[in-house]
Amino acid sequence: MFSFRLTSSPAGPLAPRTGVITTARGEIQTPAFMPVGTLATVKALMPDEVATAGAEILLVNAYHLFLRPGHQLIERMGGVHRFMGWEGPILSDSGGFQVFSLSRIRKVEEAGVTFRSHIDGSEHSYSPEVAMEVQRALGVDIAMPLDHVVPGDAPLEATRDAAERTLRWYERSRRAAGDLATFAIVQGSTHPELRRWHARELAAMDAPGYSIGGLSVGESKEAMLAMLEIVNTELPVARPRYLMGVGSPEDLVSGIARGVDMFDCVLPTRLGRNGSLFTDAGRANIKNSRYREDPSPIDAACDCLACTRFGMAYMHHLFRNDELLGYRLASIHNIRYLVRLTERCGDAIAAGTFDAFANGFLAGYQPVDEAVRSEQKGKWLKQSGYEDESSETAVST
Amino acid sequence: MFSFRLTSSPAGPLAPRTGVITTARGEIQTPAFMPVGTLATVKALMPDEVATAGAEILLVNAYHLFLRPGHQLIERMGGVHRFMGWEGPILSDSGGFQVFSLSRIRKVEEAGVTFRSHIDGSEHSYSPEVAMEVQRALGVDIAMPLDHVVPGDAPLEATRDAAERTLRWYERSRRAAGDLATFAIVQGSTHPELRRWHARELAAMDAPGYSIGGLSVGESKEAMLAMLEIVNTELPVARPRYLMGVGSPEDLVSGIARGVDMFDCVLPTRLGRNGSLFTDAGRANIKNSRYREDPSPIDAACDCLACTRFGMAYMHHLFRNDELLGYRLASIHNIRYLVRLTERCGDAIAAGTFDAFANGFLAGYQPVDEAVRSEQKGKWLKQSGYEDESSETAVST
């Protein structure tokens, strides 16, 4: 069971919009931010806390759960919802991105991929059919097909081949999906014509929803937004659009402004564990000594658990002493901040004041330095240097 | 405001008893286990979670908070309760133990101690008066005086000198305490005559409560219990007795059996972070592969957040992947286990069945008995609709 209904009348394919996704496990108001629970846990948080932060859906990763503890084990334990104690909708990423960035690829063929695990070097085969089998075993509510992912700076020819293969793989994925709602993933890196063609081909296949992959991986903001506009011009207005792996406050607002409905990102939890806290003025580093004696909350307008109960001075104390509670509170604040930002956008859309809201927000938000952002998000370009959230065992800056 | 009232009629100074401590911030039923929040945080947990685990009082450490962030900063932030978001009673340890074990001692004189911080090597003076000033600034409900702590295997002469100084320091501490309830600390290591003499001297000073220090520091269980019996024979029956730093399940029951009212220990949180979980049959190591496919809770009789919502298989998965949520759930379970154990003891005392309860408990508590757990698991599985799959699982593990 999956449906999407617009609750506003967008002015065109590139206009901001509100909607409702309905799944068997509940509704999701869009625009929506989806916290990431790679290994069937949103790092450091209880399901309750994620729900209290306002999230209506969360994300798990099929590649990671396929490797550990194994999708069949989770199926025997009653499915991923029961396993992790989250009763609401769950979307799973197929792990295409992870297969092609984290693992050591042995062979890519039309049939599928053979790779060595990034954990123990064991060899595995992964195909569109296996990816769907994994996601069906997990019992998720929305699935992603396996896509062929190439680095953002790959030659045009290689990018085109991968996009074509992704099309063929989507057809196989849909056949293997049964009644599991499976989005199509638009690829094409930063090549305008390729993006347009890929979006158009997938649009013709009438998927229940569309994911936009291969962005926010090191390209400039301008390039990302240009691709977004090309893709959303082609995609059907009546289907949800999900911008994968994107979740900085400014990108959320810019994406919603261009008609995106769904986002996911490890940023709020990863930054949270590093003591970096979202505010409307930009990111605050809680370890900074200016917060040592500041009893005020991170953000007086925020209704999260951290802001309503603790002052900056206490958060500073926790981070200065590597106390785990600090990671929790910062993660909760950052998730709530992003979810609330989507709520604020939705309210502004409903009120017809979105442009003013977005312009005001973007003018006030001090974006992260482009170089820093590239470094953080483009690590996958260097295969060996890439660090995925789930492979972190310690908090690193 | 501090008072203690027995709610049972103990058969003598060494008999188990129940009581109620009243402070300005609430009542504490005894026997009580007090979770430790050294740096004004019970590691990994929110105050709510500690309260939900049944704890009515928690402990902070004056030495640690004196060094960071500083007691005066906490006072300016509104006191330690407000700082850390815990509204119930708080007991602070003076840090005598930490000064003499963690820091680098420079000088011990009658006036006080000069030491170098274990964190940054900075030099500090600490005295009975400073320890009280720190604890008053924190705004705690029950304070400990600075005591002169020597290693458990120190020569008799040095142990006696330290005990005598601890007596003199307690007199100074009481003068500096104002209206802050300040317990006396009985020392004397494992020297029976010294323990008896020290307890008797302090008993004559009519403290609001008595702490028993210098035990559970490496001596045998027999020696610890022998000292406990000597001390409790001397202490006034109508005052609460607090066995410092003790908190294994078997020591809790053995202590309560000898008339102890209060305990504290880092064990539940420290073991929890290592994946070691208390059960009536002993400690279970969640990382053991036998739990990989076990959907049953740690302890079907436990009402903690972890046991009511998650299975061993999920906990195992979290620990195998160093997920912070695992540390939280294990800490919550272990604290709830110890608090519930004091509640079970209290109920048995009230029902006049404590001896049977204690004997039964101590006979059953041992390094994990897998047969017992298997039986519990089988029962749980049947009730929860896992029957067929899990019996396969049981066979294969």
Side-chain angles (χ1 to χ4, degrees), chain A residues 40 43-44 68 76 293 314 321 323 328, chain B residues 40 43-44 68 76 293 314 317 321 323 328:
Chain A
K43 286 193 186 299
R68 54 198 167 146
R76 287 193 294 271
E293 288 216 25
Y314 186 61
N321 292 290
E323 286 287 350
R328 289 180 57 183
Chain B
K43 286 194 189 301
R68 48 184 176 158
R76 288 193 294 273
E293 290 216 25
Y314 186 61
H317 168 67
N321 291 289
E323 287 287 351
R328 288 179 58 183

mmCIF file with all atom_site columns, all heavy atoms in Angstrom, chain A residues 40 43-44 68 76 293 314 321 323 328, chain B residues 40 43-44 68 76 293 314 317 321 323 328:
data_model
loop_
_atom_site.group_PDB
_atom_site.id
_atom_site.type_symbol
_atom_site.label_atom_id
_atom_site.label_alt_id
_atom_site.label_comp_id
_atom_site.label_asym_id
_atom_site.label_entity_id
_atom_site.label_seq_id
_atom_site.pdbx_PDB_ins_code
_atom_site.Cartn_x
_atom_site.Cartn_y
_atom_site.Cartn_z
_atom_site.occupancy
_atom_site.B_iso_or_equiv
_atom_site.pdbx_formal_charge
_atom_site.auth_seq_id
_atom_site.auth_comp_id
_atom_site.auth_asym_id
_atom_site.auth_atom_id
_atom_site.pdbx_PDB_model_num
ATOM 1   N N   . ALA A 1 40  ? 19.716 -0.047  11.383 1.00 0.00 ? 40  ALA A N   1
ATOM 2   C CA  . ALA A 1 40  ? 18.483 -0.249  12.145 1.00 0.00 ? 40  ALA A CA  1
ATOM 3   C C   . ALA A 1 40  ? 18.575 0.399   13.517 1.00 0.00 ? 40  ALA A C   1
ATOM 4   O O   . ALA A 1 40  ? 18.016 -0.099  14.508 1.00 0.00 ? 40  ALA A O   1
ATOM 5   C CB  . ALA A 1 40  ? 18.112 -1.740  12.255 1.00 0.00 ? 40  ALA A CB  1
ATOM 6   N N   . LYS A 1 43  ? 21.580 6.640   15.163 1.00 0.00 ? 43  LYS A N   1
ATOM 7   C CA  . LYS A 1 43  ? 22.691 6.565   16.107 1.00 0.00 ? 43  LYS A CA  1
ATOM 8   C C   . LYS A 1 43  ? 22.424 7.300   17.424 1.00 0.00 ? 43  LYS A C   1
ATOM 9   O O   . LYS A 1 43  ? 22.109 8.469   17.437 1.00 0.00 ? 43  LYS A O   1
ATOM 10  C CB  . LYS A 1 43  ? 23.976 7.085   15.456 1.00 0.00 ? 43  LYS A CB  1
ATOM 11  C CG  . LYS A 1 43  ? 24.516 6.067   14.453 1.00 0.00 ? 43  LYS A CG  1
ATOM 12  C CD  . LYS A 1 43  ? 25.927 6.364   13.992 1.00 0.00 ? 43  LYS A CD  1
ATOM 13  C CE  . LYS A 1 43  ? 26.327 5.405   12.890 1.00 0.00 ? 43  LYS A CE  1
ATOM 14  N NZ  . LYS A 1 43  ? 26.320 3.978   13.279 1.00 0.00 ? 43  LYS A NZ  1
ATOM 15  N N   . ALA A 1 44  ? 22.551 6.552   18.515 1.00 0.00 ? 44  ALA A N   1
ATOM 16  C CA  . ALA A 1 44  ? 22.430 7.037   19.893 1.00 0.00 ? 44  ALA A CA  1
ATOM 17  C C   . ALA A 1 44  ? 20.999 7.242   20.364 1.00 0.00 ? 44  ALA A C   1
ATOM 18  O O   . ALA A 1 44  ? 20.777 7.507   21.535 1.00 0.00 ? 44  ALA A O   1
ATOM 19  C CB  . ALA A 1 44  ? 23.234 8.323   20.120 1.00 0.00 ? 44  ALA A CB  1
ATOM 20  N N   . ARG A 1 68  ? 25.312 -7.330  7.864  1.00 0.00 ? 68  ARG A N   1
ATOM 21  C CA  . ARG A 1 68  ? 25.194 -7.598  9.295  1.00 0.00 ? 68  ARG A CA  1
ATOM 22  C C   . ARG A 1 68  ? 23.967 -6.921  9.824  1.00 0.00 ? 68  ARG A C   1
ATOM 23  O O   . ARG A 1 68  ? 23.818 -5.727  9.618  1.00 0.00 ? 68  ARG A O   1
ATOM 24  C CB  . ARG A 1 68  ? 26.434 -7.100  10.047 1.00 0.00 ? 68  ARG A CB  1
ATOM 25  C CG  . ARG A 1 68  ? 26.678 -5.643  9.741  1.00 0.00 ? 68  ARG A CG  1
ATOM 26  C CD  . ARG A 1 68  ? 28.001 -5.117  10.026 1.00 0.00 ? 68  ARG A CD  1
ATOM 27  N NE  . ARG A 1 68  ? 28.044 -3.810  9.350  1.00 0.00 ? 68  ARG A NE  1
ATOM 28  C CZ  . ARG A 1 68  ? 28.671 -2.757  9.781  1.00 0.00 ? 68  ARG A CZ  1
ATOM 29  N NH1 . ARG A 1 68  ? 29.357 -2.815  10.876 1.00 0.00 ? 68  ARG A NH1 1
ATOM 30  N NH2 . ARG A 1 68  ? 28.653 -1.617  9.140  1.00 0.00 ? 68  ARG A NH2 1
ATOM 31  N N   . ARG A 1 76  ? 13.582 -13.413 10.333 1.00 0.00 ? 76  ARG A N   1
ATOM 32  C CA  . ARG A 1 76  ? 13.207 -14.393 11.364 1.00 0.00 ? 76  ARG A CA  1
ATOM 33  C C   . ARG A 1 76  ? 12.851 -13.725 12.687 1.00 0.00 ? 76  ARG A C   1
ATOM 34  O O   . ARG A 1 76  ? 12.052 -14.247 13.462 1.00 0.00 ? 76  ARG A O   1
ATOM 35  C CB  . ARG A 1 76  ? 14.350 -15.393 11.577 1.00 0.00 ? 76  ARG A CB  1
ATOM 36  C CG  . ARG A 1 76  ? 14.521 -16.390 10.432 1.00 0.00 ? 76  ARG A CG  1
ATOM 37  C CD  . ARG A 1 76  ? 15.442 -17.548 10.814 1.00 0.00 ? 76  ARG A CD  1
ATOM 38  N NE  . ARG A 1 76  ? 16.809 -17.133 11.046 1.00 0.00 ? 76  ARG A NE  1
ATOM 39  C CZ  . ARG A 1 76  ? 17.763 -17.050 10.110 1.00 0.00 ? 76  ARG A CZ  1
ATOM 40  N NH1 . ARG A 1 76  ? 17.487 -17.353 8.860  1.00 0.00 ? 76  ARG A NH1 1
ATOM 41  N NH2 . ARG A 1 76  ? 18.987 -16.660 10.424 1.00 0.00 ? 76  ARG A NH2 1
ATOM 42  N N   . GLU A 1 293 ? 29.606 29.363  30.071 1.00 0.00 ? 293 GLU A N   1
ATOM 43  C CA  . GLU A 1 293 ? 28.725 29.853  31.149 1.00 0.00 ? 293 GLU A CA  1
ATOM 44  C C   . GLU A 1 293 ? 27.407 30.349  30.608 1.00 0.00 ? 293 GLU A C   1
ATOM 45  O O   . GLU A 1 293 ? 26.819 31.277  31.147 1.00 0.00 ? 293 GLU A O   1
ATOM 46  C CB  . GLU A 1 293 ? 29.423 30.987  31.906 1.00 0.00 ? 293 GLU A CB  1
ATOM 47  C CG  . GLU A 1 293 ? 30.560 30.505  32.763 1.00 0.00 ? 293 GLU A CG  1
ATOM 48  C CD  . GLU A 1 293 ? 30.688 31.286  34.054 1.00 0.00 ? 293 GLU A CD  1
ATOM 49  O OE1 . GLU A 1 293 ? 29.681 31.870  34.531 1.00 0.00 ? 293 GLU A OE1 1
ATOM 50  O OE2 . GLU A 1 293 ? 31.795 31.290  34.604 1.00 0.00 ? 293 GLU A OE2 1
ATOM 51  N N   . TYR A 1 314 ? 25.612 23.366  30.108 1.00 0.00 ? 314 TYR A N   1
ATOM 52  C CA  . TYR A 1 314 ? 25.610 21.932  30.424 1.00 0.00 ? 314 TYR A CA  1
ATOM 53  C C   . TYR A 1 314 ? 26.044 21.114  29.211 1.00 0.00 ? 314 TYR A C   1
ATOM 54  O O   . TYR A 1 314 ? 26.847 20.181  29.318 1.00 0.00 ? 314 TYR A O   1
ATOM 55  C CB  . TYR A 1 314 ? 24.217 21.506  30.903 1.00 0.00 ? 314 TYR A CB  1
ATOM 56  C CG  . TYR A 1 314 ? 24.157 20.068  31.383 1.00 0.00 ? 314 TYR A CG  1
ATOM 57  C CD1 . TYR A 1 314 ? 24.931 19.643  32.459 1.00 0.00 ? 314 TYR A CD1 1
ATOM 58  C CD2 . TYR A 1 314 ? 23.333 19.138  30.750 1.00 0.00 ? 314 TYR A CD2 1
ATOM 59  C CE1 . TYR A 1 314 ? 24.883 18.330  32.895 1.00 0.00 ? 314 TYR A CE1 1
ATOM 60  C CE2 . TYR A 1 314 ? 23.274 17.816  31.188 1.00 0.00 ? 314 TYR A CE2 1
ATOM 61  C CZ  . TYR A 1 314 ? 24.054 17.419  32.264 1.00 0.00 ? 314 TYR A CZ  1
ATOM 62  O OH  . TYR A 1 314 ? 24.001 16.119  32.691 1.00 0.00 ? 314 TYR A OH  1
ATOM 63  N N   . ASN A 1 321 ? 33.769 16.785  28.176 1.00 0.00 ? 321 ASN A N   1
ATOM 64  C CA  . ASN A 1 321 ? 34.154 15.581  28.901 1.00 0.00 ? 321 ASN A CA  1
ATOM 65  C C   . ASN A 1 321 ? 33.741 14.300  28.172 1.00 0.00 ? 321 ASN A C   1
ATOM 66  O O   . ASN A 1 321 ? 33.706 13.231  28.782 1.00 0.00 ? 321 ASN A O   1
ATOM 67  C CB  . ASN A 1 321 ? 33.549 15.628  30.317 1.00 0.00 ? 321 ASN A CB  1
ATOM 68  C CG  . ASN A 1 321 ? 34.192 16.715  31.148 1.00 0.00 ? 321 ASN A CG  1
ATOM 69  O OD1 . ASN A 1 321 ? 35.353 16.608  31.532 1.00 0.00 ? 321 ASN A OD1 1
ATOM 70  N ND2 . ASN A 1 321 ? 33.468 17.795  31.400 1.00 0.00 ? 321 ASN A ND2 1
ATOM 71  N N   . GLU A 1 323 ? 31.022 13.080  27.237 1.00 0.00 ? 323 GLU A N   1
ATOM 72  C CA  . GLU A 1 323 ? 29.910 12.340  27.829 1.00 0.00 ? 323 GLU A CA  1
ATOM 73  C C   . GLU A 1 323 ? 28.896 11.968  26.747 1.00 0.00 ? 323 GLU A C   1
ATOM 74  O O   . GLU A 1 323 ? 28.468 12.813  25.957 1.00 0.00 ? 323 GLU A O   1
ATOM 75  C CB  . GLU A 1 323 ? 29.234 13.177  28.919 1.00 0.00 ? 323 GLU A CB  1
ATOM 76  C CG  . GLU A 1 323 ? 30.053 13.266  30.213 1.00 0.00 ? 323 GLU A CG  1
ATOM 77  C CD  . GLU A 1 323 ? 30.033 11.961  31.010 1.00 0.00 ? 323 GLU A CD  1
ATOM 78  O OE1 . GLU A 1 323 ? 29.247 11.064  30.672 1.00 0.00 ? 323 GLU A OE1 1
ATOM 79  O OE2 . GLU A 1 323 ? 30.818 11.861  31.974 1.00 0.00 ? 323 GLU A OE2 1
ATOM 80  N N   . ARG A 1 328 ? 23.751 12.423  22.397 1.00 0.00 ? 328 ARG A N   1
ATOM 81  C CA  . ARG A 1 328 ? 22.311 12.218  22.282 1.00 0.00 ? 328 ARG A CA  1
ATOM 82  C C   . ARG A 1 328 ? 21.573 13.538  22.132 1.00 0.00 ? 328 ARG A C   1
ATOM 83  O O   . ARG A 1 328 ? 20.746 13.692  21.240 1.00 0.00 ? 328 ARG A O   1
ATOM 84  C CB  . ARG A 1 328 ? 21.764 11.547  23.555 1.00 0.00 ? 328 ARG A CB  1
ATOM 85  C CG  . ARG A 1 328 ? 22.144 10.130  23.730 1.00 0.00 ? 328 ARG A CG  1
ATOM 86  C CD  . ARG A 1 328 ? 21.546 9.580   25.013 1.00 0.00 ? 328 ARG A CD  1
ATOM 87  N NE  . ARG A 1 328 ? 20.088 9.726   25.039 1.00 0.00 ? 328 ARG A NE  1
ATOM 88  C CZ  . ARG A 1 328 ? 19.332 9.389   26.064 1.00 0.00 ? 328 ARG A CZ  1
ATOM 89  N NH1 . ARG A 1 328 ? 19.896 8.904   27.165 1.00 0.00 ? 328 ARG A NH1 1
ATOM 90  N NH2 . ARG A 1 328 ? 18.035 9.520   26.008 1.00 0.00 ? 328 ARG A NH2 1
ATOM 91  N N   . ALA B 1 40  ? 27.948 14.965  36.927 1.00 0.00 ? 40  ALA B N   1
ATOM 92  C CA  . ALA B 1 40  ? 26.603 15.525  36.774 1.00 0.00 ? 40  ALA B CA  1
ATOM 93  C C   . ALA B 1 40  ? 25.897 14.955  35.551 1.00 0.00 ? 40  ALA B C   1
ATOM 94  O O   . ALA B 1 40  ? 25.112 15.642  34.890 1.00 0.00 ? 40  ALA B O   1
ATOM 95  C CB  . ALA B 1 40  ? 26.620 17.064  36.742 1.00 0.00 ? 40  ALA B CB  1
ATOM 96  N N   . LYS B 1 43  ? 26.126 8.260   33.138 1.00 0.00 ? 43  LYS B N   1
ATOM 97  C CA  . LYS B 1 43  ? 26.671 8.098   31.785 1.00 0.00 ? 43  LYS B CA  1
ATOM 98  C C   . LYS B 1 43  ? 25.658 7.537   30.788 1.00 0.00 ? 43  LYS B C   1
ATOM 99  O O   . LYS B 1 43  ? 25.075 6.493   30.993 1.00 0.00 ? 43  LYS B O   1
ATOM 100 C CB  . LYS B 1 43  ? 27.941 7.241   31.816 1.00 0.00 ? 43  LYS B CB  1
ATOM 101 C CG  . LYS B 1 43  ? 29.110 8.035   32.388 1.00 0.00 ? 43  LYS B CG  1
ATOM 102 C CD  . LYS B 1 43  ? 30.463 7.387   32.156 1.00 0.00 ? 43  LYS B CD  1
ATOM 103 C CE  . LYS B 1 43  ? 31.543 8.122   32.936 1.00 0.00 ? 43  LYS B CE  1
ATOM 104 N NZ  . LYS B 1 43  ? 31.674 9.563   32.574 1.00 0.00 ? 43  LYS B NZ  1
ATOM 105 N N   . ALA B 1 44  ? 25.477 8.294   29.710 1.00 0.00 ? 44  ALA B N   1
ATOM 106 C CA  . ALA B 1 44  ? 24.630 7.946   28.558 1.00 0.00 ? 44  ALA B CA  1
ATOM 107 C C   . ALA B 1 44  ? 23.141 8.158   28.792 1.00 0.00 ? 44  ALA B C   1
ATOM 108 O O   . ALA B 1 44  ? 22.360 8.039   27.868 1.00 0.00 ? 44  ALA B O   1
ATOM 109 C CB  . ALA B 1 44  ? 24.879 6.519   28.061 1.00 0.00 ? 44  ALA B CB  1
ATOM 110 N N   . ARG B 1 68  ? 36.198 20.352  37.079 1.00 0.00 ? 68  ARG B N   1
ATOM 111 C CA  . ARG B 1 68  ? 35.524 20.717  35.830 1.00 0.00 ? 68  ARG B CA  1
ATOM 112 C C   . ARG B 1 68  ? 34.051 20.410  35.922 1.00 0.00 ? 68  ARG B C   1
ATOM 113 O O   . ARG B 1 68  ? 33.714 19.281  36.249 1.00 0.00 ? 68  ARG B O   1
ATOM 114 C CB  . ARG B 1 68  ? 36.132 19.956  34.633 1.00 0.00 ? 68  ARG B CB  1
ATOM 115 C CG  . ARG B 1 68  ? 36.250 18.508  34.950 1.00 0.00 ? 68  ARG B CG  1
ATOM 116 C CD  . ARG B 1 68  ? 36.871 17.598  34.038 1.00 0.00 ? 68  ARG B CD  1
ATOM 117 N NE  . ARG B 1 68  ? 36.885 16.320  34.737 1.00 0.00 ? 68  ARG B NE  1
ATOM 118 C CZ  . ARG B 1 68  ? 36.982 15.159  34.154 1.00 0.00 ? 68  ARG B CZ  1
ATOM 119 N NH1 . ARG B 1 68  ? 37.113 15.089  32.881 1.00 0.00 ? 68  ARG B NH1 1
ATOM 120 N NH2 . ARG B 1 68  ? 36.965 14.038  34.829 1.00 0.00 ? 68  ARG B NH2 1
ATOM 121 N N   . ARG B 1 76  ? 26.634 29.386  39.753 1.00 0.00 ? 76  ARG B N   1
ATOM 122 C CA  . ARG B 1 76  ? 26.114 30.497  38.936 1.00 0.00 ? 76  ARG B CA  1
ATOM 123 C C   . ARG B 1 76  ? 25.046 30.028  37.947 1.00 0.00 ? 76  ARG B C   1
ATOM 124 O O   . ARG B 1 76  ? 24.150 30.780  37.570 1.00 0.00 ? 76  ARG B O   1
ATOM 125 C CB  . ARG B 1 76  ? 27.260 31.181  38.170 1.00 0.00 ? 76  ARG B CB  1
ATOM 126 C CG  . ARG B 1 76  ? 28.174 32.014  39.052 1.00 0.00 ? 76  ARG B CG  1
ATOM 127 C CD  . ARG B 1 76  ? 29.088 32.925  38.227 1.00 0.00 ? 76  ARG B CD  1
ATOM 128 N NE  . ARG B 1 76  ? 30.047 32.203  37.411 1.00 0.00 ? 76  ARG B NE  1
ATOM 129 C CZ  . ARG B 1 76  ? 31.253 31.795  37.827 1.00 0.00 ? 76  ARG B CZ  1
ATOM 130 N NH1 . ARG B 1 76  ? 31.655 32.018  39.068 1.00 0.00 ? 76  ARG B NH1 1
ATOM 131 N NH2 . ARG B 1 76  ? 32.056 31.147  37.009 1.00 0.00 ? 76  ARG B NH2 1
ATOM 132 N N   . GLU B 1 293 ? 20.422 -14.770 17.576 1.00 0.00 ? 293 GLU B N   1
ATOM 133 C CA  . GLU B 1 293 ? 19.065 -14.944 17.038 1.00 0.00 ? 293 GLU B CA  1
ATOM 134 C C   . GLU B 1 293 ? 18.037 -15.127 18.145 1.00 0.00 ? 293 GLU B C   1
ATOM 135 O O   . GLU B 1 293 ? 17.053 -15.824 17.967 1.00 0.00 ? 293 GLU B O   1
ATOM 136 C CB  . GLU B 1 293 ? 19.020 -16.160 16.102 1.00 0.00 ? 293 GLU B CB  1
ATOM 137 C CG  . GLU B 1 293 ? 19.765 -15.943 14.827 1.00 0.00 ? 293 GLU B CG  1
ATOM 138 C CD  . GLU B 1 293 ? 19.087 -16.617 13.629 1.00 0.00 ? 293 GLU B CD  1
ATOM 139 O OE1 . GLU B 1 293 ? 17.858 -16.836 13.664 1.00 0.00 ? 293 GLU B OE1 1
ATOM 140 O OE2 . GLU B 1 293 ? 19.822 -16.893 12.664 1.00 0.00 ? 293 GLU B OE2 1
ATOM 141 N N   . TYR B 1 314 ? 18.555 -7.952  18.990 1.00 0.00 ? 314 TYR B N   1
ATOM 142 C CA  . TYR B 1 314 ? 18.779 -6.557  18.626 1.00 0.00 ? 314 TYR B CA  1
ATOM 143 C C   . TYR B 1 314 ? 19.909 -5.960  19.468 1.00 0.00 ? 314 TYR B C   1
ATOM 144 O O   . TYR B 1 314 ? 20.796 -5.266  18.949 1.00 0.00 ? 314 TYR B O   1
ATOM 145 C CB  . TYR B 1 314 ? 17.481 -5.758  18.802 1.00 0.00 ? 314 TYR B CB  1
ATOM 146 C CG  . TYR B 1 314 ? 17.601 -4.327  18.314 1.00 0.00 ? 314 TYR B CG  1
ATOM 147 C CD1 . TYR B 1 314 ? 17.891 -4.051  16.983 1.00 0.00 ? 314 TYR B CD1 1
ATOM 148 C CD2 . TYR B 1 314 ? 17.428 -3.248  19.182 1.00 0.00 ? 314 TYR B CD2 1
ATOM 149 C CE1 . TYR B 1 314 ? 17.998 -2.739  16.524 1.00 0.00 ? 314 TYR B CE1 1
ATOM 150 C CE2 . TYR B 1 314 ? 17.527 -1.939  18.733 1.00 0.00 ? 314 TYR B CE2 1
ATOM 151 C CZ  . TYR B 1 314 ? 17.817 -1.695  17.405 1.00 0.00 ? 314 TYR B CZ  1
ATOM 152 O OH  . TYR B 1 314 ? 17.932 -0.394  16.961 1.00 0.00 ? 314 TYR B OH  1
ATOM 153 N N   . HIS B 1 317 ? 23.130 -7.207  18.135 1.00 0.00 ? 317 HIS B N   1
ATOM 154 C CA  . HIS B 1 317 ? 23.446 -6.466  16.903 1.00 0.00 ? 317 HIS B CA  1
ATOM 155 C C   . HIS B 1 317 ? 24.025 -5.084  17.236 1.00 0.00 ? 317 HIS B C   1
ATOM 156 O O   . HIS B 1 317 ? 25.043 -4.670  16.667 1.00 0.00 ? 317 HIS B O   1
ATOM 157 C CB  . HIS B 1 317 ? 22.158 -6.349  16.084 1.00 0.00 ? 317 HIS B CB  1
ATOM 158 C CG  . HIS B 1 317 ? 22.222 -5.391  14.932 1.00 0.00 ? 317 HIS B CG  1
ATOM 159 N ND1 . HIS B 1 317 ? 23.010 -5.605  13.825 1.00 0.00 ? 317 HIS B ND1 1
ATOM 160 C CD2 . HIS B 1 317 ? 21.592 -4.192  14.724 1.00 0.00 ? 317 HIS B CD2 1
ATOM 161 C CE1 . HIS B 1 317 ? 22.859 -4.591  12.971 1.00 0.00 ? 317 HIS B CE1 1
ATOM 162 N NE2 . HIS B 1 317 ? 22.008 -3.724  13.494 1.00 0.00 ? 317 HIS B NE2 1
ATOM 163 N N   . ASN B 1 321 ? 28.123 -3.850  16.679 1.00 0.00 ? 321 ASN B N   1
ATOM 164 C CA  . ASN B 1 321 ? 28.440 -2.742  15.786 1.00 0.00 ? 321 ASN B CA  1
ATOM 165 C C   . ASN B 1 321 ? 28.751 -1.450  16.538 1.00 0.00 ? 321 ASN B C   1
ATOM 166 O O   . ASN B 1 321 ? 28.718 -0.370  15.955 1.00 0.00 ? 321 ASN B O   1
ATOM 167 C CB  . ASN B 1 321 ? 27.290 -2.542  14.806 1.00 0.00 ? 321 ASN B CB  1
ATOM 168 C CG  . ASN B 1 321 ? 27.192 -3.699  13.822 1.00 0.00 ? 321 ASN B CG  1
ATOM 169 O OD1 . ASN B 1 321 ? 28.041 -3.847  12.951 1.00 0.00 ? 321 ASN B OD1 1
ATOM 170 N ND2 . ASN B 1 321 ? 26.186 -4.556  13.986 1.00 0.00 ? 321 ASN B ND2 1
ATOM 171 N N   . GLU B 1 323 ? 27.159 0.364   18.516 1.00 0.00 ? 323 GLU B N   1
ATOM 172 C CA  . GLU B 1 323 ? 26.132 1.396   18.455 1.00 0.00 ? 323 GLU B CA  1
ATOM 173 C C   . GLU B 1 323 ? 25.847 1.953   19.850 1.00 0.00 ? 323 GLU B C   1
ATOM 174 O O   . GLU B 1 323 ? 25.622 1.198   20.797 1.00 0.00 ? 323 GLU B O   1
ATOM 175 C CB  . GLU B 1 323 ? 24.842 0.822   17.838 1.00 0.00 ? 323 GLU B CB  1
ATOM 176 C CG  . GLU B 1 323 ? 24.935 0.593   16.333 1.00 0.00 ? 323 GLU B CG  1
ATOM 177 C CD  . GLU B 1 323 ? 24.904 1.913   15.545 1.00 0.00 ? 323 GLU B CD  1
ATOM 178 O OE1 . GLU B 1 323 ? 24.646 2.982   16.140 1.00 0.00 ? 323 GLU B OE1 1
ATOM 179 O OE2 . GLU B 1 323 ? 25.153 1.844   14.319 1.00 0.00 ? 323 GLU B OE2 1
ATOM 180 N N   . ARG B 1 328 ? 23.226 2.560   26.061 1.00 0.00 ? 328 ARG B N   1
ATOM 181 C CA  . ARG B 1 328 ? 22.099 3.135   26.797 1.00 0.00 ? 328 ARG B CA  1
ATOM 182 C C   . ARG B 1 328 ? 21.191 2.050   27.338 1.00 0.00 ? 328 ARG B C   1
ATOM 183 O O   . ARG B 1 328 ? 20.832 2.055   28.514 1.00 0.00 ? 328 ARG B O   1
ATOM 184 C CB  . ARG B 1 328 ? 21.241 3.996   25.872 1.00 0.00 ? 328 ARG B CB  1
ATOM 185 C CG  . ARG B 1 328 ? 21.857 5.292   25.465 1.00 0.00 ? 328 ARG B CG  1
ATOM 186 C CD  . ARG B 1 328 ? 20.923 6.047   24.533 1.00 0.00 ? 328 ARG B CD  1
ATOM 187 N NE  . ARG B 1 328 ? 19.631 6.306   25.156 1.00 0.00 ? 328 ARG B NE  1
ATOM 188 C CZ  . ARG B 1 328 ? 18.625 6.894   24.545 1.00 0.00 ? 328 ARG B CZ  1
ATOM 189 N NH1 . ARG B 1 328 ? 18.745 7.282   23.289 1.00 0.00 ? 328 ARG B NH1 1
ATOM 190 N NH2 . ARG B 1 328 ? 17.493 7.106   25.177 1.00 0.00 ? 328 ARG B NH2 1
#
